[in-house]
Amino acid sequence: MNGLISLVGVAVVLIILRDVFHTLWHPTRHGGLSRIVMTALWRLSSRASPHWRATGVAGPLGVAGVVAMWTCGVALGWAVVYWPHMPEGFVFSSALEPTQHSRPVDALYVSPVTVATLGLGDIAPAEGWLRIVAPLEALVGFALLTATVSWVLGIFPALARRRTLALRICHLRRAGLTDEQLDSEAGAPVLDALAAEIAGVSVDFAQYPESYYFHDGTGDTSLALSIGHAAALAERTRLAQHPGARIASLVLAAALDDFATVLDERFLHTGKPRPEILDAYARDHGAAPPDSHAAR
C-alpha cells in the first residue's frame, strides 16, 4: 500500500514535468495544464471587467499562476512519495519526536523545504533510496527556477517585437502612402520588411503562445487593432505593376496567411478564412479594428 501511494506521488511529479517540458522546451507545443490556466484567466478577464483586460493583468497573472501550479505540483507529488515512509525513513533533530512528525503535514513541510533547496536539516532522509530522491527533488526545484526565469525573459522580448510591429503598421497607415508610391521600387522594400516582421511575430506566437494572453491596450501598439491595415496593404498591391512591389505583395500576403493560421490553430479555432480570423483576433483583444474589412 505504501508503495502504491508513493507511485501516485511519482505520477503527479511526472505530469507536472511533462507540462513544464512542453511549455518551456518544446518549440511547437503548449503544455496542457499551463494552457488551461492561461486560457481560463484570459476568458475570465473578458467576462469580469473590460478594464481588467485593458490593464494587461491576465497575462502576468497567468504566468504567475502557471509557475505556482508547477511548484506546488512538484512539492505535493514528492510529499506523497515521502509520507508513507515517515518517520522510519527519516532522521530527526533532537528537538523533534519522530512519532509526532509522521503526518501528511510533515511530509508537506519536508517537500517544499527540499524543492526550495533550503536544507534546514531538522528532518532529513535516512533510507538509501530516499537519500537519492530528496537531492533529485532539489535539483528539479533549481532547474524549475532557472527555466522559469528564462521563460519570462523570452516572453517579454516577444511582446516587444509584437508591439513594435503594430507601431510600424500604424506609422504606415498615418503616412498615407498612395497606390503609386507602393507600386514602385521604393515601395517594394517597405512591403518586404513588413512581411518579415509579421513572420517573426508568427514564430513568437508559435514558440511563446503564452504571449497571446498579454493585452497590448487599444492604442498604436495593439497588433490586434492594426493588423487589418497590413492586410489592406497586401490587397492594394496585389496587382502592382512593378515586379519588386508585386513580389513583395505576394510575400506579405503569404506572411499574413501564416500569421492567421497560427492564430486560428492555436488560439481562436474559427476554421474561417484569413479576414474573419483577423477580425476574431481583434475582438478577442478588445474591439474590431476600424479598417478590418478593408482587406476583404
Side-chain angles (χ1 to χ4, degrees):
M1 185 63 181
N2 288 346
L4 181 60
I5 294 175
S6 294
L7 286 177
V8 171
V10 171
V12 172
V13 172
L14 291 177
I15 290 172
I16 295 298
L17 293 181
R18 178 188 179 278
D19 192 70
V20 173
F21 173 78
H22 283 301
T23 301
L24 303 186
W25 293 305
H26 200 300
T28 59
R29 291 291 299 274
H30 192 181
L33 297 177
S34 61
R35 186 185 188 93
I36 291 173
V37 172
M38 298 293 295
T39 304
L41 283 172
W42 179 253
R43 298 307 174 203
L44 181 63
S45 70
S46 65
R47 296 178 181 179
S49 169
H51 176 71
W52 187 26
R53 175 171 289 188
T55 56
V57 174
L61 277 182
V63 170
V66 169
V67 173
M69 176 194 65
W70 289 340
T71 305
C72 293
V74 167
L76 177 62
W78 248 285
V80 174
V81 172
Y82 295 149
W83 174 46
H85 308 280
M86 298 185 73
E88 64 275 1
F90 292 79
V91 293
F92 297 78
S93 67
S94 58
L96 299 178
E97 175 59 41
T99 57
Q100 297 179 0
H101 294 278
S102 58
R103 298 165 297 175
V105 67
D106 296 293
L108 286 172
Y109 163 75
V110 173
S111 184
V113 167
T114 305
V115 79
T117 66
L118 295 177
L120 299 181
D122 51 348
I123 304 178
E127 290 186 9
W129 71 275
L130 286 173
R131 296 179 67 183
I132 297 175
V133 169
L136 181 61
E137 180 185 11
L139 181 62
V140 169
F142 180 76
L144 184 60
L145 173 62
T146 305
T148 299
V149 172
S150 300
W151 183 40
V152 172
L153 293 179
I155 289 176
F156 283 96
L159 293 175
R161 289 188 290 270
R162 187 172 85 198
R163 292 162 183 170
T164 301
L165 171 59
L167 194 58
R168 168 74 168 165
I169 294 173
C170 287
H171 290 164
L172 292 174
R173 176 176 56 81
R174 292 205 301 267
L177 299 177
T178 64
D179 291 346
E180 291 74 17
Q181 290 173 319
L182 292 171
D183 188 4
S184 66
E185 185 175 354
V190 173
L191 299 175
D192 192 57
L194 185 59
E197 292 185 53
I198 291 174
V201 172
S202 298
V203 173
D204 286 336
F205 274 136
Q207 189 151 359
Y208 298 101
E210 300 78 16
S211 64
Y212 177 88
Y213 305 106
F214 284 72
H215 189 55
D216 293 326
T218 56
D220 288 349
T221 58
S222 174
L223 182 59
L225 301 180
S226 61
I227 192 64
H229 182 68
L233 287 177
E235 181 64 23
R236 286 170 55 191
T237 56
R238 182 171 59 89
L239 301 177
Q241 298 301 310
H242 188 277
R246 187 166 59 253
I247 292 173
S249 175
L250 293 174
V251 173
L252 176 58
L256 286 165
D257 288 339
D258 288 345
F259 177 78
T261 298
V262 170
L263 288 178
D264 204 45
E265 289 181 352
R266 300 183 73 88
F267 309 107
L268 299 173
H269 310 294
T270 66
K272 296 181 178 179
R274 184 226 296 168
E276 284 81 0
I277 294 172
L278 297 183
D279 281 356
Y281 174 45
R283 288 192 299 270
D284 201 34
H285 278 255
D291 54 358
S292 63
H293 299 282
R296 297 194 180 192

